[in-house]
Amino acid sequence: MSMIPEDVIEQVRDSADLVGLIGESVNLKRTGSDYRGPCPFHGGKNRNFTVIPKRAMYYCFVCHESGDVFRWLMKRFGMDYPTAVRDVARRSGIVIPESSSRAGPDPLEPLFSAVAAAHDWFGRQLLERPDAKEARDYLAGRAITLEQAGEHGLGWAPQGGAFSSAMAELGIEPPILLESGLLARRDDGTIRARFRHRLLFPIHDLRGRVVGFGGRLLSQGEPKYLNSPETPLFHKGRLLYNLHQAKGSIRHEESVILVEGYFDVLRLLLAGVDHVVAPLGTGLTGDQATLLRRFAPAATLLYDSDDAGLKATFRAGDELLRHGVRVKVATMPPGEDPDTLVRSGGIAALAPVLRDAVDVLDRKIQLLEQRGWFEKVERRREALDKLLPTIRAAADPVMRELYTSRTAERVGVPRDVVATEAARGPTTPASGAPARGQADVRPRGTSAPPAARPRSRFGARAERQLVRAMIASPEWREMGRQELKAELFDAAPLRELCVALARLPASDPGNQLPEGLSAAAAAEWSDLRASAAELSAEQIAEEYLRAQQTLAARPEVLEIARIKDPSERQRRLKDLRARYPVIVQTHWYARFGEQARQRQRRS
């Protein structure tokens, strides 16, 4: 059976009439905005089975069976996944394009199955296990019923070896559990459950499949929140909590509400606000911003209003601006977060907060005004430095122009001056000296890159590979810090990225976009970060070594390409092969040299 494109699967899912499909075999009656009926899975007589159209899912409050339209067909009628997609497409009148390639078994299916089995088991423990009373009481204290917890897939991970034993009874082998992040190997070689004594939130991919968990510790200890590790299924920087359910509402609203935590999302969902998502306990990444831009052109940031919340707000705002998203900031009352505000005052308390949201640059200006930054000349200069990163982040030229004019008006300097400062970026290209308010971040032993450099096609791919390796691995980043010079890079965004990555501390995993990047460099970072995740450690190492030699040899390759004497050219090429053996197998230098000679002959 041929592969079905991912975008077509999403189109089919979004167009499905879930109520009509399930109503063919279940007697559903409308209850508010949802539909209730007897559960077909456990044979119940009461109306404990609910279909929730606005979230495109079904759920049973007794047996806890849940899923989307495809899972319904798979569980109810025994279809495999591609057949279920095609059946829904046929009902919706969508033609699925057939690919010439043939699809074999999904190598990740054992991991998906293991995580799904764990999700079901964790959910049952929350409802049934005696030692989960602590978690049930905790949820009750946060005004979340067990029905609501079950509807949203929450679970409980107990202490001890109960999880490992349960998975063994299901025939799921430890290597699969290790690879899926459900078991962890300790330093002494022993293996135990990764999640212990934690309330668990399931993390889904866009297709609605559980790929990992976020766990909140209910006793003393650290970390308070623990996510699944990076696995073939789970990439923390490329997933958003609740996006699988919220994407339809986000498209409809043409906007997304971004909050900080799992409970914030859950509280808004329970209050009827569906277009809400959250990062997974870290700052918003470029990949997450790219993902959101697929579904909506605008975002409202609903973070805490303390210093840490404001810092996270503006970092997320700048990241979204780099990806062409319009950004508003909603200001929470002091001491409140979305969960506490809605829990105490309901949706009526949240409505004015969202209504009064202002543009992210205007929110920065408000805070600077409140703190007196515009009252004295020297502080106005510092205020401008605070506003410049947001101006630079704006990828949309209209928003960038509006931000430039608004800043000039408030700071009290000509618009052209602000535009010039914003265009310089974090460093001053003419002199290479750090811009005001910026540290000197050039790698050791490098001089400032020239303002303009001649570009050559030879080595362009190698530049991207080198930077990708530095993004993918702290070890290769440290190697690049020691042996790469900014002058090696012809492409200005990659040169800027090399400099920014070199200033990161060795302990930094490199998951967050470096601060102060231009829009072009930020876009490169996002693309390279995404592609790096698909490469193994061996591939990254091979790419780095080959690319480093390619760029080191590039000046000589360009010189050899200009030599007209064949014997001299061959002699120089032979010497080049001896000194740069890694690039010999690619023959890039030979192809480039021949192309250059052909151009010379034509001219």
Side-chain angles (χ1 to χ4, degrees), residues 9 18 23-24 67 70 89 118 128 135 138 142 163 173 190 204 217 220 228 237 316 319 425 488 553:
I9 292 175
L18 184 62
E24 293 177 0
F70 303 140
E128 302 168 1
Y138 178 80
R142 300 193 72 147
F163 172 74
E173 300 292 336
T190 58
H204 299 75
L217 189 65
Q220 296 296 319
S228 292
E319 190 62 68
L488 283 174

Side-chain angles (χ1 to χ4, degrees), residues 14 78 86 107 216:
D14 292 343
R86 284 181 165 81
R216 192 197 192 284

Side-chain angles (χ1 to χ4, degrees), residues 159-179:
Q159 296 275 23
F163 172 74
S164 298
S165 298
M167 294 300 102
E169 290 178 7
L170 294 174
I172 304 175
E173 300 292 336
I176 295 296
L177 296 171
L178 282 167
E179 189 176 3

Side-chain angles (χ1 to χ4, degrees), residues 62 139 248 319 355 368 383 439 526 559 587:
V62 175
L139 290 172
E319 190 62 68
R355 184 181 62 243
L368 292 170
S526 180
E559 182 181 343
H587 302 290

Side-chain angles (χ1 to χ4, degrees), residues 19-20 22-38 45-53:
V19 174
I22 294 179
E24 293 177 0
S25 53
V26 178
N27 181 18
L28 296 174
K29 290 187 177 181
R30 185 161 188 161
T31 305
S33 60
D34 301 336
Y35 293 79
R36 292 285 189 107
K45 303 299 182 182
N46 297 320
R47 297 188 175 276
N48 296 309
F49 180 83
T50 183
V51 181
I52 311 167

